């Protein structure tokens, strides 16, 4: 019998299974938002990529830009701490212009 390590999250996870796009300086990657809590989220990439620093994750189904700090990145998955989210369906702050453009290119 194997023991699972204890879950270190303070908030309960919700399965998301939602298409997304990760946007950072000079970077735009498709991803799958695997699960989400009020404090963060976990994404799965199409290919192994070491994410670091601040990124914006676009939830294509909900039309929101989620500002995140990458907490960990391992292989195809990364965990992120969420710092805020903004709807991309209308006017957005200039810091989210690249995210809004990526959202539109993805069909939003």
């Amino acid at each position: 019998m194997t023991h699972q390590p204890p879950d270190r999250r303070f908030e309960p996870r919700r399965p998301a299974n939602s298409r997304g796009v990760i946007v950072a300086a000079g970077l735009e990657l498709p991803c799958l938002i695997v699960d989400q809590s009020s404090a963060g989220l976990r994404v799965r990439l199409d290919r192994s990529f070491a994410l670091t620093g601040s990124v914006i994750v676009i939830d294509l189904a909900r039309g929101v830009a989620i500002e995140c700090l990458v907490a960990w990145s391992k292989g195809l998955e990364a965990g992120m701490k969420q710092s805020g989210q903004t709807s991309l369906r209308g006017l957005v702050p200039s810091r989210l212009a690249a995210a809004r453009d990526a959202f539109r290119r993805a069909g939003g």
Side-chain angles (χ1 to χ4, degrees):
M1 185 161 98
T2 63
H3 287 114
Q4 297 242 346
D7 190 356
R8 295 182 292 170
R9 290 186 182 212
F10 295 109
E11 303 288 333
R13 301 178 199 208
R14 298 179 312 279
N17 200 28
S18 180
R19 282 187 22 197
V21 177
I22 296 174
V23 178
L27 178 70
E28 197 172 300
L29 290 171
C31 69
L32 178 70
I33 301 170
V34 177
D35 63 36
Q36 196 167 9
S37 72
S38 62
L41 51 101
R42 181 169 51 118
V43 298
R44 184 171 297 132
L45 305 171
D46 290 341
R47 59 190 165 123
S48 185
F49 193 88
L51 290 172
T52 59
S54 297
V55 299
I56 297 171
V57 178
I58 301 168
D59 185 330
L60 296 173
R62 295 183 337 168
V64 297
I66 306 165
E67 297 176 79
C68 299
L69 184 63
V70 178
W72 58 269
S73 180
K74 184 175 180 185
L76 298 176
E77 292 194 339
M80 311 201 182
K81 291 184 180 184
Q82 183 174 312
S83 61
Q85 58 182 305
T86 305
S87 174
L88 294 172
R89 301 184 197 280
L91 296 176
V92 297
S94 61
R95 73 179 187 282
L96 298 176
R100 184 195 55 222
D101 294 343
F103 175 65
R104 288 182 176 161
R105 280 192 296 277

